Amino acid sequence: MARYARSEPFFPIMTGIVVGFIILGFGAGIAARGGGYVPPPALMLHGVVTLAWFALTLVQAMLIRVGRFTLHRALGTLSTGLALAIVVLGYFTVRIAVSNPDWTIAGFDNVGSAIFPFFDIVTFAILYGLGVAKRSDAPAHKRLIVLAGVMMMDPAVARVAIFIVGFAPLALVIELAILAAFPIYDWRTRGRPHGASIFGVALFAVCFVLRMTLAKSDAWAEFVATVF
């Protein structure tokens, strides 16, 4: 138990902000389709499982905050199960979306659009996997787990920017601001950014560049045809 330390309020707060965007963004997206819209079962299941993981992550942060380490460890298995479900259901959700020729994200066709949720899933899996591997290193663990959630908030933030604000580029500004909060917090509390925070920001930047450069490429189209 000595490996755990009571969490600073920053991490529950950041998790709460991400959860808030998830609820607000997807709620706005459903509302924009009209009162009679019902999401397809696969999409609804993916949404429920994803929201459950986010809610549990917030609970986990609060448990560490109040010193409930044993319960935190016990719920870790449930968190891992939900994370695996997110990856599997995310794959099938993208597969269904790609089959719709009218599906578009950021002006790309259905094949190019697949690169956005694909990298959301990949970055989530990388950061969550590292977070689990670093569970004995509390400072790295909590940053990696919360950052994993940040990587999955892109669809929700985009819906907030489009349906509520009406300015799509705002989504990138919001995500960059949330990511920047981690090294800034580290700098103020530790005197230097934590390696996990730097890795999270760098991973986002690399994947953003890859999305923009590969989305219309033949290599990506071939990859989508093979994998999805």
Side-chain angles (χ1 to χ4, degrees):
M1 189 175 297
R3 65 185 182 182
Y4 290 94
R6 291 180 185 268
S7 178
E8 304 99 314
F10 173 81
F11 298 99
I13 290 171
M14 292 305 297
T15 305
I17 290 172
V18 174
V19 171
F21 272 109
I22 295 294
I23 295 172
L24 184 62
F26 283 102
I30 292 173
R33 289 177 174 266
Y37 173 72
V38 177
L43 183 58
M44 187 178 296
L45 179 59
H46 177 60
V48 169
V49 170
T50 302
L51 184 58
W53 181 85
F54 276 106
L56 180 59
T57 301
L58 179 57
V59 169
Q60 289 285 69
M62 293 303 299
L63 288 174
I64 291 298
R65 178 71 180 153
V66 299
R68 300 291 300 275
F69 307 122
T70 301
L71 182 56
H72 176 88
R73 288 196 298 270
L75 291 175
T77 301
L78 176 58
S79 174
T80 301
L82 288 171
L84 290 172
I86 286 174
V87 173
V88 173
L89 291 170
Y91 166 78
F92 285 106
T93 300
V94 176
R95 186 173 181 177
I96 292 170
V98 169
S99 67
N100 177 9
D102 296 326
W103 180 50
T104 179
I105 296 177
F108 292 97
D109 63 13
N110 58 324
V111 174
S113 295
I115 203 166
F116 293 93
F118 174 77
F119 273 109
D120 289 342
I121 295 168
V122 168
T123 52
F124 169 80
I126 290 172
L127 287 167
Y128 185 83
L130 287 174
V132 172
K134 288 285 189 178
R135 60 188 178 275
S136 61
D137 180 354
H141 172 73
K142 58 192 175 186
R143 285 169 173 80
L144 290 166
I145 295 298
V146 179
L147 282 165
V150 172
M151 297 299 167
M152 283 289 288
M153 69 184 292
D154 182 59
V157 174
R159 285 167 171 80
V160 170
I162 294 169
F163 296 120
I164 297 179
V165 181
F167 183 62
L170 181 63
L172 180 59
V173 175
I174 293 172
E175 291 179 62
L176 289 175
I178 290 174
L179 283 168
F182 286 82
I184 291 172
Y185 171 78
D186 292 342
W187 195 277
R188 295 191 63 180
T189 58
R190 305 176 71 250
R192 65 188 187 281
H194 192 281
S197 299
I198 295 174
F199 180 77
V201 173
L203 182 63
F204 179 89
V206 169
C207 288
F208 180 80
V209 172
L210 289 175
R211 282 168 165 163
M212 295 298 104
T213 56
L214 294 179
K216 294 183 178 181
S217 68
D218 292 338
W220 175 252
E222 184 177 343
F223 177 80
V224 171
T226 302
V227 174
F228 296 104

